[in-house]
């Protein structure tokens, strides 16, 4: 068991798959010689060479289009979009081309590719470099979507994404890159579509994703210590496929559900989870489902404003405590 | 500096293209023409439900390139893609059936007229968002380069595409990575309903942009299938030799409107008639006659093609509509569409 940062675990996951499968290639802006702006691809260029680790121009449509064309003709590309906000400039490629082509061609075209991107707030970069856009991807049929919260998960889920025969978007969280965690030695291979119960509890369920997971865990500690509320914390991990069984299994036990999401309020992933739970577990619930979200605003840049905008440990504690009170 | 490729002087020796290829070319031109005409007839009978963008008048571009391609080469084209898909060898019944929403369609009715695809023939898809497939074609070319095959990717698009960002991203990318991709602009003079010249900064929308990417500007008479074939052969040879991409502008004209909804009233009087004088199918037939191909051989090809189009039409008409369970199939590689457990 080694302790790795989240960013090193990303590189380790990619390296593991490139080592295993010659068809795996990497492309993106500054990912090669520079090792990535978040240093999540450090060492790959030196190890696998410029043929397999290719720097591209700042041309997001070309990056994603090239990944698609390569995937449909036998390669297993991993494309990096530096910030998930930039999905806006290649959304046609992602939502219209990659997501739909297998379906439109009646299964003639396979698209085994991965799009990695740095998602989320916390870096004081302002509204165009800080969004959480995993809900955009979740809304498009044909895309698989994961958002790992720990070094071990990001390594194993990248491996699973690379081996999956369908397009997978891996939302890495930029505020997690420097976080350290234990990563098991040897081959890492996780499963898409599996949530994880990180903490058991009988009083309520908190479903969280990515950066919101460590915050939910810290909030759960405090709720236990300060208010005697025992929270079950679920790391949703995968939005598509969605592990409704694990989430609903917990709700049936606790009869209360809170979602903690970094998405702005309208149509955040928690809305879909809340809708499913309301529809299928209504009689198991003791009280309304509560969504803890970023307000429906673009993100402000100043540290004080950004911190007050995305859900904090305090906000989770207050919201749960008041609702459970 | 523009290279205008024109048909070379003809000789009874049948020059560089040869008898076998010329007859195949004529057969292909006719197939594309008659099948498109049949598609139009089927609209009029309300058997084609959605939109459709015909290549009538532009057949020589599809035929000239396809004839020069190897079986394992890749074609990417636009929603005006019936001719390109047929030219790679997709069955006429599959194409007509797709237009009609029948189970026998090349994508069983899931793609429709604008998304004809036949991967087994190297027809890697028809793309209906302008410009999108140019970067995708780069990816296929990159894959061929990476795998060390000498496959060529050919990417067809219209004149309007030259004004969208993806065109410029793809060209730069293809040159920087020296990809074996041939970009072919079918300049039919109109961006949908608007004359291309009124919305483009340069006279030749593709060729005049070539120098921005260090490429040679190439313009070819897109109504002359032989000229197209020769330009294509040269570009393929370079691409297979690892010398990188090409950008070719084929001047042509669509005989019908942009789509089935468009009567093309915006065209100046007499323009269509002028272009009909240079109809690519008639031009080719005249050339074959001049070269001494027996009239009987040509008639036999014509009759045979007409019969095959009729048979394909009958077969498509007889095909059932797709099974409703197709709705939930093939979102994922496992054949299904499940998004939860």
């Amino acid at each position: 068991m080694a302790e790795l940062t989240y960013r090193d675990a990303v590189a380790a996951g990619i390296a593991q798959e490139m080592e295993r499968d010659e068809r795996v290639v990497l492309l993106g802006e500054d990912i090669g010689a520079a090792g990535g702006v978040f240093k999540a691809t450090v060492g790959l260029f030196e190890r696998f060479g410029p043929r397999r680790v290719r720097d591209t121009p700042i041309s997001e449509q070309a990056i994603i289009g090239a990944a698609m064309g390569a995937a449909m003709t036998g390669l297993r590309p991993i494309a990096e979009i530096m910030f998930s906000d930039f999905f806006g400039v290649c959304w046609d490629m992602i939502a219209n081309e990659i997501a739909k082509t297998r379906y439109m061609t009646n299964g003639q075209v396979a698209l085994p590719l991965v799009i990695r991107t740095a998602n989320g707030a916390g870096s004081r970069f302002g509204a165009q470099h800080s969004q959480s856009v995993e809900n955009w991807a979740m809304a498009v049929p044909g895309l698989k979507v994961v958002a790992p919260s720990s070094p071990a998960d990001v390594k194993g889920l990248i491996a699973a994404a690379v081996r999956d025969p369908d397009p997978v978007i891996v939302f890495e969280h930029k505020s997690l890159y420097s976080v350290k965690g234990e990563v098991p030695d040897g081959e890492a291979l996780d499963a898409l579509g599996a949530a994880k119960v990180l903490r058991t509890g009988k009083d309520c369920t908190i479903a969280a994703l990515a950066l919101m997971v460590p915050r939910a865990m810290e909030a759960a500690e405090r709720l236990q210590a300060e208010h005697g509320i025992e929270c079950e914390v679920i790391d949703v991990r995968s939005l598509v496929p969605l592990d409704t069984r694990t989430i609903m299994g917990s709700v049936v036990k606790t009869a209360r559900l809170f979602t903690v999401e970094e998405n702005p309020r309208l149509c955040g992933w928690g809305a879909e989870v809340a809708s499913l739970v309301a529809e299928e577990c209504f009689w198991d619930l003791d009280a309304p489902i509560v969504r803890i979200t970023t307000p429906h605003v673009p993100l402000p840049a100043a540290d004080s404003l950004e911190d007050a905008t995305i859900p904090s440990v305090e906000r989770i504690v207050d919201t749960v405590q008041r609702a459970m009170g | 500096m523009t290279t205008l490729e024109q048909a070379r002087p003809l000789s009874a020796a049948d020059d560089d293209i040869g008898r076998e290829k010329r007859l195949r070319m004529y057969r292909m031109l006719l197939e594309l023409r008659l099948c498109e005409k049949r598609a139009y007839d089927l609209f009029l009978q309300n058997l084609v439900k959605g939109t459709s963008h015909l290549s009538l008048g532009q057949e020589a571009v599809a035929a000239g390139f396809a004839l020069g391609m190897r079986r394992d080469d890749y074609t990417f084209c636009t929603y005006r893609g019936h001719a390109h898909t047929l030219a790679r060898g997709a069955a006429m019944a599959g194409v007509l059936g797709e237009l009609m929403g029948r189970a026998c369609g090349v994508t069983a009715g899931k793609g429709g007229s604008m998304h004809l695809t036949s991967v087994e023939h190297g027809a890697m898809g028809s793309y209906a968002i302008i410009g999108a497939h140019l970067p995708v074609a780069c990816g296929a070319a990159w894959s061929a380069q990476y795998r060390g095959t000498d496959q060529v990717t050919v990417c067809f698009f219209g004149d309007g595409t030259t004004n969208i960002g993806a065109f410029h991203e793809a060209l730069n990318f293809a040159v920087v990575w020296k990809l074996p991709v041939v970009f072919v602009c079918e300049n039919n003079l109109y961006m949908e309903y608007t004359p291309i010249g009124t919305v483009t900064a340069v006279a030749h929308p593709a060729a005049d942009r070539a120098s921005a990417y260090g490429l040679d500007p190439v313009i070819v008479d897109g109504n002359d299938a032989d000229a197209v074939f020769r330009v294509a052969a040269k570009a393929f040879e370079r691409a297979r030799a690892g010398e990188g991409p090409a950008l070719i502008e084929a001047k042509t004209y669509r005989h019908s409107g942009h789509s089935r909804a468009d009567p093309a009233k915006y065209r100046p009087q007499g323009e269509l008639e002028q272009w009909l004088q240079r109809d690519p199918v008639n031009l080719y037939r005249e050339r074959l006659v001049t070269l001494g191909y027996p009239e009987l051989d040509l008639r036999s090809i014509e009759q045979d093609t007409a019969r095959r189009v009729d048979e394909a039409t009958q077969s498509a008409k007889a095909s059932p509509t797709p099974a409703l369970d197709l709705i939930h199939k093939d979102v994922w590689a496992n054949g299904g569409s499940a998004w939860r457990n």
Side-chain angles (χ1 to χ4, degrees), chain A residues 21-27 51-52 54-75 77 89 92-93 96-97 99 101-109 140-144 165-167 193 239-246 248 272 276 280, chain B residues 74 76 98 105-112 115 117-120 123-148 164-166 168-170 172-173 176-179 326-335 338-341:
Chain A
D21 187 345
E22 176 81 14
R23 296 169 302 169
V24 179
V25 287
L26 190 65
L27 74 163
R51 180 170 164 265
R52 296 184 69 191
R54 298 200 72 164
D55 281 316
T56 67
I58 301 181
S59 301
E60 279 82 6
Q61 295 190 78
I63 294 168
I64 300 300
M68 173 174 173
M72 63 201 280
T73 53
L75 301 190
V89 292
D92 172 53
M93 289 296 165
N96 273 323
E97 313 301 337
T101 294
R102 172 183 287 280
Y103 187 82
M104 292 197 301
T105 62
N106 198 33
Q108 291 181 61
V109 171
V140 180
L143 301 175
K144 293 181 178 174
D166 293 310
L239 294 178
V240 183
L242 184 65
D243 184 359
T244 52
R245 204 174 288 159
T246 297
M248 290 180 185
E272 186 57 51
L276 287 162
E280 297 177 30
Chain B
Y74 300 123
F76 289 81
E98 189 63 33
V106 287
T107 66
K110 288 179 87 173
H115 300 293
T117 303
S118 185
V119 169
E120 63 172 308
M124 303 304 286
S126 310
Y127 296 78
I129 308 286
I130 295 295
H133 63 306
L134 279 77
V136 182
C138 286
W142 171 35
S143 162
Q145 181 191 60
Y146 182 86
R147 290 180 283 113
I164 207 162
H168 299 275
E169 287 196 16
N172 182 60
F173 192 91
V176 172
W177 286 24
K178 228 175 175 187
L179 298 175
L326 270 192
I327 292 168
H328 299 287
K329 283 191 175 160
D330 285 319
V331 171
W332 308 126
N334 68 6
W339 51 269
R340 61 175 288 191
N341 56 11

Side-chain angles (χ1 to χ4, degrees), chain B residues 65-138:
Chain B
F65 273 92
L67 203 65
M69 291 175 78
R70 246 172 33 193
R71 273 191 71 84
D72 63 345
D73 289 337
Y74 300 123
T75 292
F76 289 81
C77 61
T78 69
Y79 52 85
R80 195 178 305 286
H82 307 170
H84 294 299
T85 309
L86 288 166
R88 291 308 307 279
M92 282 190 277
V95 168
L96 291 172
E98 189 63 33
L99 270 54
M100 294 163 68
R102 302 302 172 96
C104 75
V106 287
T107 66
K110 288 179 87 173
S113 159
M114 294 202 279
H115 300 293
L116 299 178
T117 303
S118 185
V119 169
E120 63 172 308
H121 296 101
M124 303 304 286
S126 310
Y127 296 78
I129 308 286
I130 295 295
H133 63 306
L134 279 77
V136 182
C138 286

Side-chain angles (χ1 to χ4, degrees), chain B residues 36-57:
Chain B
E36 279 299 53
K37 278 189 156 173
R38 181 55 49 84
Y40 187 70
D41 294 343
L42 292 167
F43 304 150
L44 297 179
Q45 296 167 43
N46 199 27
L47 286 167
V48 171
K49 311 288 180 176
T51 186
S52 230
H53 305 78
L54 303 178
S55 290
L56 289 171

Side-chain angles (χ1 to χ4, degrees), chain A residues 246-291:
Chain A
T246 297
I247 297 168
M248 290 180 185
S250 176
V251 170
V252 165
K253 187 173 85 175
T254 64
R256 301 294 299 262
L257 174 64
F258 297 84
T259 62
V260 188
E261 47 198 299
E262 203 175 317
N263 294 146
R265 178 78 192 189
L266 300 187
C267 301
W269 61 262
E272 186 57 51
V273 169
S275 149
L276 287 162
V277 169
E279 198 169 323
E280 297 177 30
C281 304
F282 186 76
W283 304 108
D284 297 298
L285 287 167
D286 281 347
I289 298 161
V290 178
R291 289 178 62 212

Side-chain angles (χ1 to χ4, degrees), chain B residues 3-11 15-17 22 219-231 278 283-284 287 291:
Chain B
T3 323
L4 185 58
E5 288 281 339
Q6 284 175 329
R8 295 167 197 181
L10 303 171
S11 76
D15 63 39
D16 55 321
I17 294 179
R22 277 228 163 80
I219 295 180
V220 64
D221 177 353
N223 280 20
D224 182 335
D226 285 348
V228 170
F229 176 82
R230 290 188 179 107
V231 163
R278 303 204 62 255
L283 273 184
Y284 210 77
R287 178 167 306 151
L291 285 168

Side-chain angles (χ1 to χ4, degrees), chain B:
Chain B
M1 263 272 292
T2 293
T3 323
L4 185 58
E5 288 281 339
Q6 284 175 329
R8 295 167 197 181
L10 303 171
S11 76
D14 211 2
D15 63 39
D16 55 321
I17 294 179
R19 177 183 170 81
E20 186 263 343
K21 274 206 177 72
R22 277 228 163 80
L23 289 176
R24 277 172 55 206
M25 183 88 85
Y26 185 54
R27 187 180 285 278
M28 193 185 289
L29 284 167
L30 271 175
E31 177 177 322
L32 306 187
R33 169 61 53 88
L34 296 181
C35 203
E36 279 299 53
K37 278 189 156 173
R38 181 55 49 84
Y40 187 70
D41 294 343
L42 292 167
F43 304 150
L44 297 179
Q45 296 167 43
N46 199 27
L47 286 167
V48 171
K49 311 288 180 176
T51 186
S52 230
H53 305 78
L54 303 178
S55 290
L56 289 171
Q58 304 183 201
E59 297 90 343
V61 181
F65 273 92
L67 203 65
M69 291 175 78
R70 246 172 33 193
R71 273 191 71 84
D72 63 345
D73 289 337
Y74 300 123
T75 292
F76 289 81
C77 61
T78 69
Y79 52 85
R80 195 178 305 286
H82 307 170
H84 294 299
T85 309
L86 288 166
R88 291 308 307 279
M92 282 190 277
V95 168
L96 291 172
E98 189 63 33
L99 270 54
M100 294 163 68
R102 302 302 172 96
C104 75
V106 287
T107 66
K110 288 179 87 173
S113 159
M114 294 202 279
H115 300 293
L116 299 178
T117 303
S118 185
V119 169
E120 63 172 308
H121 296 101
M124 303 304 286
S126 310
Y127 296 78
I129 308 286
I130 295 295
H133 63 306
L134 279 77
V136 182
C138 286
W142 171 35
S143 162
Q145 181 191 60
Y146 182 86
R147 290 180 283 113
T149 68
D150 57 356
Q151 290 163 287
V152 166
T153 298
V154 185
C155 181
F156 299 95
F157 51 90
D159 40 273
T161 299
T162 63
N163 292 326
I164 207 162
F167 168 83
H168 299 275
E169 287 196 16
L171 278 168
N172 182 60
F173 192 91
V175 171
V176 172
W177 286 24
K178 228 175 175 187
L179 298 175
V181 56
V182 178
F183 295 107
V184 184
C185 173
E186 295 184 68
N187 181 357
N188 64 19
L189 311 185
Y190 290 89
M191 175 210 79
E192 302 209 4
Y193 300 8
T194 303
I196 191 65
T198 65
V199 292
T200 307
V202 290
H204 305 295
D208 288 349
R209 264 75 174 257
S211 64
Y213 302 103
L215 294 170
D216 290 334
V218 180
I219 295 180
V220 64
D221 177 353
N223 280 20
D224 182 335
D226 285 348
V228 170
F229 176 82
R230 290 188 179 107
V231 163
K234 204 187 287 178
F236 294 167
E237 200 182 311
R238 286 190 64 247
R240 290 194 212 287
E243 290 169 35
L247 174 61
I248 294 164
E249 179 170 335
K251 301 282 191 193
T252 184
Y253 194 79
R254 62 171 148 75
H255 291 170
S256 52
H258 167 70
S259 66
R260 67 180 293 197
D262 170 26
K265 288 189 174 155
Y266 43 80
R267 301 196 285 212
Q269 217 173 4
E271 187 180 78
L272 172 62
E273 290 67 27
Q274 236 176 6
W275 278 91
L276 285 172
Q277 297 295 311
R278 303 204 62 255
D279 178 298
V281 183
N282 292 346
L283 273 184
Y284 210 77
R285 191 182 204 285
E286 284 160 20
R287 178 167 306 151
L288 294 183
V289 170
T290 310
L291 285 168
Y293 286 76
E295 184 69 28
L296 271 178
D297 287 3
L298 303 185
R299 281 202 197 145
S300 148
I301 291 175
E302 286 152 10
Q303 283 162 4
D304 181 56
T305 308
R307 179 185 54 78
R308 289 194 306 116
V309 173
D310 284 341
E311 283 170 5
T313 309
Q314 289 317 314
S315 159
K317 280 183 175 172
S319 172
T321 55
L324 289 180
D325 66 356
L326 270 192
I327 292 168
H328 299 287
K329 283 191 175 160
D330 285 319
V331 171
W332 308 126
N334 68 6
S337 62
W339 51 269
R340 61 175 288 191
N341 56 11

